[in-house]
């Protein structure tokens, strides 16, 4: 674990999140938490900044700061907040109080430049799983399959989202937070489009085109509101839950309707149920184990094998569509 140039003491911890209704309540107060409201924390940060982040002391800090910390945007003030966070946590624990959150998050043990090491690793592994399964899909399914290009685009959208999730959990900034949230929404909306193309668009291309335009407008409006009007955490979470429910119910209805003709239908059902069920792990909001592993990281870790199952469904379904098209059979 990398130590701060401000002091040689131990390093520490990372945040956790809440889901569904709990997340809606939590996000409204994410800007201020018990820990960062404490006078001892505020005074500590103020004194640290005054002592270490001006003049000769700042120049010394910049010379001894590891290059990877500077490249990922860690500043002297950030290190002050990090060290003072642990000072406050130590005092809370010494007095027998529960561990507080800081700026809406649990304290995390920083590893090198990784602010939330477990979540960053989990996001990276999700991205690798998507990449490997995308390559497997491309090598298994001929480009002539009706869903090939739509699924390929879905893979790229998903890879982009997991890239920004990894970046965000490595270093939270104004930009990385927005990119993480916006790209996650893009995946959900594109999943709806993917479902529309598979269930309606193959027989009625105009329908999927109209739905695609509507989804682009929805995404544009969503991002514009959060960017130019108000970055409302509660609204963002409510919108993503709503989009996710549309995706869930649409896939489930189609799978159930085709359960007698598509022997692999259960894979799709299991995927959508797992993806929406595993988010409940975030309800297990608790201080990170070993100051690293929190509920959010567990959620991301749990979704890794789901990618394998979903692409297994996509491969079987794409080959089915290709074969039925060759035989001139009506697509279900």
């Amino acid at each position: 674990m990398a130590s701060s140039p401000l002091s040689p003491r131990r390093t520490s911890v990372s945040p956790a999140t809440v889901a569904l209704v709990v997340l809606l309540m939590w996000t409204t107060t994410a800007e201020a938490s018990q820990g960062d409201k404490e006078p001892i924390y505020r005074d500590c940060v103020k004194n640290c900044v005054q002592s270490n982040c001006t003049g000769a002391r700042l120049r010394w800090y910049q010379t001894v700061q590891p290059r990877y910390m500077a490249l990922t945007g860690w500043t002297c003030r950030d290190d002050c907040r990090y060290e003072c966070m642990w000072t406050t946590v130590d005092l809370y624990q010494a007095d027998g109080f529960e561990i507080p959150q800081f700026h809406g998050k649990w304290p995390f043990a920083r590893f090198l430049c990784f602010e939330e090491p477990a979540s960053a690793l989990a996001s990276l592994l999700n991205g690798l799983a998507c990449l490997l399964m995308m390559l497997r899909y491309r090598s298994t399914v001929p480009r002539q399959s009706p869903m090939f290009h739509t699924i390929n685009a879905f893979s790229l959208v998903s890879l982009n989202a997991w890239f920004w999730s990894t970046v965000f959990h490595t270093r939270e900034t104004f930009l990385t937070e927005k990119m993480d949230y916006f790209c996650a929404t893009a995946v959900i909306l594109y999943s709806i489009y993917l479902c529309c193309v598979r269930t309606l668009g193959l027989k009625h291309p105009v329908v999927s085109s109209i739905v695609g335009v509507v989804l682009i407008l929805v995404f544009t409006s969503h991002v514009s509101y959060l960017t130019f009007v108000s970055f409302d955490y509660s609204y963002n979470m409510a919108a993503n839950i709503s989009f996710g429910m549309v995706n869930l119910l649409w896939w489930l209805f189609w799978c159930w309707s085709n359960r007698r003709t598509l022997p692999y239908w259960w894979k799709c059902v299991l995927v959508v149920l797992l993806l929406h069920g595993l988010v409940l792990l975030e309800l297990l909001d608790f201080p990170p184990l070993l100051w690293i592993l929190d509920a959010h990281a567990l959620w991301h870790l749990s979704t890794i094998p789901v990618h394998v199952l979903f692409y297994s469904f996509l491969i079987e379904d794409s080959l089915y569509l290709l074969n039925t098209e060759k035989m001139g059979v009506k697509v279900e």
Side-chain angles (χ1 to χ4, degrees), residues 5-297:
L6 300 180
S7 72
R9 57 159 297 164
R10 64 178 173 81
T11 50
S12 334
V13 170
S14 137
T17 19
V18 193
L20 303 173
V21 177
V22 174
L23 253 172
L24 293 176
M25 295 184 293
W26 174 80
T27 50
T28 60
T29 58
E31 290 302 314
S33 302
Q34 181 61 38
D36 55 271
K37 290 190 295 185
E38 285 291 345
I40 189 169
Y41 171 80
R42 293 175 178 267
D43 290 341
C44 177
V45 173
K46 180 180 178 181
N47 294 332
C48 178
V49 171
Q50 291 176 345
S51 301
N52 299 285
C53 303
T54 57
R57 292 287 294 174
L58 177 59
R59 289 191 292 272
W60 173 83
Y61 169 87
Q62 292 170 340
T63 59
V64 300
Q65 183 187 33
R67 178 67 62 180
Y68 58 82
M69 295 292 285
L71 291 175
T72 48
W74 287 94
T75 66
C76 181
R77 182 179 180 83
D78 292 330
D79 271 337
C80 282
R81 292 174 61 172
Y82 182 76
E83 296 299 332
C84 290
M85 175 181 71
W86 290 113
T87 299
T88 307
V89 169
D90 289 342
L91 291 173
Y92 263 70
Q93 290 185 308
D95 291 336
F97 293 111
E98 294 183 356
I99 297 169
Q101 292 190 349
F102 295 80
H103 305 285
K105 306 191 300 183
W106 294 112
F108 275 83
R110 188 173 64 192
F111 175 72
L112 298 177
C113 61
F114 295 93
E115 191 170 359
E116 301 175 47
S119 291
L121 176 61
S123 296
L124 177 62
L125 293 176
N126 274 278
L128 289 175
C130 283
L131 176 61
L132 292 175
M133 294 311 297
M134 179 187 73
L135 295 176
R136 180 182 174 189
Y137 180 87
R138 289 181 175 182
S139 64
T140 305
V141 178
R143 297 175 66 88
Q144 294 75 25
S145 178
M147 289 294 295
F148 182 90
H149 297 291
T150 304
I151 292 173
N152 185 60
F154 170 76
S155 300
L156 297 177
V157 172
S158 298
L159 283 172
N160 178 64
W162 286 116
F163 168 79
W164 282 108
S165 178
T166 303
V167 172
F168 170 64
H169 291 302
T170 298
R171 181 73 177 101
E172 180 180 344
T173 65
F174 178 84
L175 174 63
T176 60
E177 179 185 43
K178 304 304 177 286
M179 291 303 297
D180 177 51
Y181 289 1
F182 295 162
C183 292
T185 300
V187 172
I188 299 173
L189 292 177
Y190 198 94
S191 297
I192 296 175
Y193 177 71
L194 176 68
C195 180
C196 177
V197 173
R198 177 58 183 95
T199 60
L200 298 175
L202 297 180
K203 292 183 289 185
H204 309 286
V206 175
V207 174
S208 60
S209 297
I210 294 174
V211 171
V213 171
V214 170
L215 291 174
I216 290 174
L217 293 175
V218 169
F219 180 72
T220 303
S221 300
H222 179 74
V223 172
S224 297
Y225 174 78
L226 293 174
T227 302
F228 302 112
V229 180
S230 171
F231 196 86
D232 188 327
Y233 292 88
S234 297
Y235 157 73
N236 180 67
M237 185 57 60
N240 284 330
I241 291 174
S242 301
F243 301 151
M245 289 305 298
V246 171
N247 189 46
L248 169 70
L249 296 176
W250 197 338
W251 274 118
L252 288 180
F253 177 79
W254 176 79
C255 288
W256 185 254
S257 300
N258 291 276
R259 66 189 185 282
R260 291 186 175 87
T261 56
L262 303 177
Y264 49 84
W265 67 276
W266 61 272
K267 294 183 179 181
C268 181
V269 171
L270 187 55
V271 165
V272 294
L273 290 179
L274 282 174
L275 286 177
H276 290 80
L278 289 173
V279 74
L280 295 176
L281 284 172
E282 297 238 279
L283 292 173
L284 305 175
D285 194 27
F286 54 84
L289 302 176
L290 302 177
W291 304 120
I292 293 178
L293 187 63
D294 68 329
H296 189 75

